[in-house]
Amino acid sequence: MSAETPDTCPGGLRKVARVVLLDPEDRILLLHGHEPDDPADDWWFTPGGGVEGAETREQAALRELTEETGITEVELGPVLWRRRCSFPFAGRRWDQDEWYYLARTEQTATAAAGLTELERRSVSGARWWTCRELEQAHETVYPTRLAGLLRTLLDEGPPARPVTLDTEIV
């Protein structure tokens, strides 16, 4: 049995908090990322990242949102979804247990002032997307079913308890 550190789950999965941030028009904020050495290998994803030290996932979600977007005026809601994923990035494999929190904001201007060195090399911007734009997008978006998940969220509201998404292995 492996020892569990505060920022990992049983099995060595990295504990991650992500934010499904909606503005007053129900647009979702996504970040544009790419491999550090290959900007053509790109995708869109929700703000968020790994839990650090003894912080809670809620604290990690708010910290990451501030670091990656500069947005601090948020109302953090419930956990919408949970998923496990595994993907190659920056020369290593990342195995994660991700929790997606709903959040609302009136603040739509972004400024990524707190990025890590790796994030500065691999995040090229942010964009607010309507659900329709997301449904019609040809770009890669993670989680892969985000357009349908967002449509359900907007039509039905948050689930009574977090929905477990399919594991994604890239």
Side-chain angles (χ1 to χ4, degrees):
M1 184 167 194
S2 64
E4 183 179 344
T5 60
D7 57 349
T8 61
C9 300
L13 292 171
R14 180 175 179 241
K15 285 168 60 173
V16 170
R18 298 209 161 278
V19 180
V20 176
L21 185 64
L22 302 179
D23 74 359
E25 299 173 29
D26 284 336
R27 297 180 304 168
I28 185 172
L29 182 67
L30 297 179
L31 302 179
H32 189 216
H34 57 83
E35 273 294 329
D37 298 323
D38 184 6
D41 184 1
D42 68 331
W43 55 87
W44 291 89
F45 64 102
T46 58
V51 172
E52 293 180 357
E55 73 183 348
T56 66
R57 286 202 202 227
E58 292 87 353
Q59 291 166 332
L62 293 171
R63 176 185 49 75
E64 287 284 342
L65 188 63
T66 299
E67 291 172 358
E68 294 175 349
T69 71
I71 295 176
T72 57
E73 299 168 21
V74 299
E75 179 183 326
L76 192 64
V79 177
L80 301 170
W81 316 308
R82 292 180 182 169
R83 88 168 175 155
R84 290 187 173 191
C85 61
S86 180
F87 54 91
F89 174 68
R92 67 169 272 218
R93 179 151 290 275
W94 300 74
D95 298 309
Q96 302 190 156
D97 176 56
E98 299 182 336
W99 292 15
Y100 289 78
Y101 288 86
L102 175 61
R104 292 256 179 202
T105 188
E106 303 273 329
Q107 182 183 346
T108 57
T110 61
L115 298 181
T116 66
E117 187 272 333
L118 178 58
E119 288 168 333
R120 282 192 298 278
R121 292 177 32 230
S122 62
V123 176
S124 57
R127 175 182 162 197
W128 291 96
W129 295 70
T130 65
C131 191
R132 184 171 182 79
E133 288 170 335
L134 203 51
E135 289 167 341
Q136 296 174 348
H138 296 290
E139 293 95 339
T140 300
V141 177
Y142 293 111
T144 55
R145 296 185 319 128
L146 185 58
L149 293 164
L150 180 59
R151 170 59 54 213
T152 299
L153 173 64
L154 296 176
D155 289 348
E156 301 174 12
R161 61 181 118 351
V163 173
T164 300
L165 306 180
D166 292 338
T167 298
E168 287 191 55
I169 300 175
V170 179

